[in-house]
Every structure is written in structure tokens, then in C-alpha cells.
Amino acid sequence: MSIHTACIDACFDLAMESRGEGGLPIGSVLARGDKIIGRGHNRRVQQGNPILHGEMDALRDAGRQESYRDTVLYTSLSPCMMCAGTIVQFKIPRVVICENLNFGGNEQFLIERGVTVEVLNEQRFVDMMARFIEEQPALWDEDIAE
């Protein structure tokens, strides 16, 4: 299995783990070369922390890095502006977004700042997020500050 496939599958598994804990189904991993160095999922609900999105949790799990310029961030859902800003701040050069149909809009922000963005729109991610939004609209609105 390629690292790319392993990272995508990990994002899905982490999203499902978060959903199982009563949180939002958003997972993320940070990879360097052929190794995942950080894993995370949205823990806003579980830890009562408004900024603990999946991408932030993966970066927290990776710990301090001398540089992020040789990493790839994978995320099950398009990053919000807070997470997109963090990607730019740490100069993460590439982001793989598993789906951006249920939530998107910051891809251009990333691209304009030199980040390579790949959007997959894999159906399992699209369906998972759509189901969550339908079942938990208030929690979803809270997460995106609606």
C-alpha cells in the first residue's frame, strides 16, 4: 500500500473514530516521506476546545518539527480558514483534501500562498460528511461558526 493510500485511509478511520466519540467526523494526518508523523481528528466536542480541529490535532500529535517544508497534510474535509492559516504559517507545501463538496472555499487561499492543493472528492468522505450534517445540523453549524 502506498503512503498516499495509507494516509487517505487513516483520515477516514480517524474521522469515524471522532464520530464514534460523539464528535465531528473529520480526520487528518501529517506525513513526511513514507511515514505518518502525526494523526488527529476533530476533538472540539470531546475536549471542549474550540480550536482542536482535525488538522490542528494532527499537528499537535506530530509535535515540534524543525521544519514542515517536506511534509504533506491530509485531511478528510477542506480546511477552515483557521487551519488553512496554520498550513500557510508552517509552510506546509502540499495538502490533500479528501472532500470539499460539503465544505470548502479556502483552497484558493492556500494556492495563492504557494500551497499545492489536491482535491480527491472520494465518495465515502462525501457521504460520511453529508450524513453527519443531516443528522447533527446544530453541531455542524457550531463547528463552522454559523
Side-chain angles (χ1 to χ4, degrees), residues 21-39:
E21 295 172 354
L24 287 92
I26 302 168
S28 183
V29 299
L30 185 68
R32 173 177 284 122
D34 64 355
K35 184 179 178 193
I36 294 174
I37 62 171
R39 299 171 185 267

Side-chain angles (χ1 to χ4, degrees), residues 6-90:
C7 290
I8 293 164
D9 289 346
C11 283
F12 188 81
D13 293 344
L14 288 159
M16 294 302 291
E17 180 181 335
S18 183
R19 183 72 169 116
E21 295 172 354
L24 287 92
I26 302 168
S28 183
V29 299
L30 185 68
R32 173 177 284 122
D34 64 355
K35 184 179 178 193
I36 294 174
I37 62 171
R39 299 171 185 267
H41 60 77
N42 189 301
R43 296 178 193 261
R44 282 184 355 86
V45 172
Q46 299 92 316
Q47 294 190 11
N49 183 336
I51 63 170
L52 203 47
H53 286 193
E55 299 89 342
M56 300 300 217
D57 194 37
L59 289 168
R60 180 204 52 78
D61 184 58
R64 288 177 57 194
Q65 301 291 313
E66 190 172 306
S67 173
Y68 295 87
R69 293 175 190 215
D70 60 346
T71 63
V72 179
L73 183 74
Y74 289 78
T75 182
S76 65
L77 186 66
S78 185
C80 70
M81 185 52 77
M82 175 181 67
C83 295
T86 301
I87 291 163
V88 171
Q89 175 70 31
F90 289 138

Side-chain angles (χ1 to χ4, degrees), residues 92-141:
I92 296 171
R94 182 168 173 239
V95 175
V96 177
I97 299 169
C98 297
E99 86 103 333
N100 73 346
L101 299 177
N102 287 293
F103 179 80
N106 295 312
E107 296 84 2
Q108 194 61 36
F109 171 84
L110 291 168
I111 292 166
E112 289 170 357
R113 284 152 184 85
V115 178
T116 300
V117 175
E118 180 181 355
V119 179
L120 304 177
N121 280 327
E122 280 198 14
Q123 198 61 50
R124 62 182 167 157
F125 289 93
V126 174
D127 293 346
M128 173 181 55
M129 202 65 216
R131 193 168 37 257
F132 172 76
I133 292 169
E134 181 180 323
E135 293 171 0
Q136 297 283 333
L139 186 54
W140 171 244
D141 286 348

